[in-house]
């Protein structure tokens, strides 16, 4: 049997084979694996009170865009542009996803759909 060659890109996708390169074993240390994992991973940012209010506000349905814009100004004393900047940041926050996964998933889908539309 012949060893598989690295894919060149000249072959059809069905004929290309990828063989992963073996990794060297990681050195053994005296540290506990849990401590090493927590030291490397950044702490998840917790949601502030305002972040939670923004998520609750966004969960409501609005019949007219103008009514929502006015409610943003009245409730948060922010311009609608700043509100949507904060909301966009929240969509990438793991703590927000943990708090309301359905809402965050829906808003992420809307964001990606709008981004695709702008790229056309």
């Amino acid at each position: 049997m012949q060893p598989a060659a690295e894919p060149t890109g000249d072959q059809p996708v069905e004929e290309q084979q990828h063989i992963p390169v073996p990794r060297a074993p990681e050195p053994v240390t005296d540290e506990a694996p849990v401590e090493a994992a927590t030291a490397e991973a950044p702490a998840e940012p917790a949601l502030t009170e305002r972040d939670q209010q923004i998520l609750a506000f966004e969960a409501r349905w609005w019949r007219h865009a103008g009514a929502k814009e006015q409610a943003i100004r009245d409730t948060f004393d922010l311009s609608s542009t700043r509100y949507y900047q904060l909301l966009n940041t929240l969509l990438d926050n793991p703590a927000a996803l943990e708090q309301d996964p359905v809402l965050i998933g829906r808003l992420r889908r809307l964001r990606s759909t709008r981004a695709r539309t702008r790229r056309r």
Side-chain angles (χ1 to χ4, degrees), residues 23-45:
R23 294 184 183 191
E26 293 187 21
V28 178
T29 62
D30 292 337
E31 295 179 22
V34 175
E35 292 173 11
T38 55
E40 295 173 10
E44 289 185 7

Side-chain angles (χ1 to χ4, degrees), residues 71-88:
I72 289 169
R73 282 189 293 277
D74 295 344
T75 306
F76 299 106
D77 195 29
L78 296 171
S79 69
S80 57
T81 302
R82 182 64 185 141
Y83 169 83
Y84 286 112
Q85 288 171 343
L86 293 171
L87 179 62
N88 193 44

Side-chain angles (χ1 to χ4, degrees), residues 34-74:
V34 175
E35 292 173 11
T38 55
E40 295 173 10
E44 289 185 7
L47 294 179
T48 64
E49 182 67 30
R50 181 171 72 170
D51 292 343
Q52 293 173 1
Q53 290 172 352
I54 288 174
L55 290 176
F57 182 85
E58 196 60 33
R60 291 190 248 161
W61 290 90
W62 300 92
R63 292 183 182 207
H64 307 287
K68 183 176 182 180
E69 307 303 317
Q70 184 62 45
I72 289 169
R73 282 189 293 277
D74 295 344

Side-chain angles (χ1 to χ4, degrees), residues 1-13:
M1 180 177 237
Q2 206 175 42
E6 286 293 316
T8 62
D10 299 341
Q11 305 150 323
V13 174

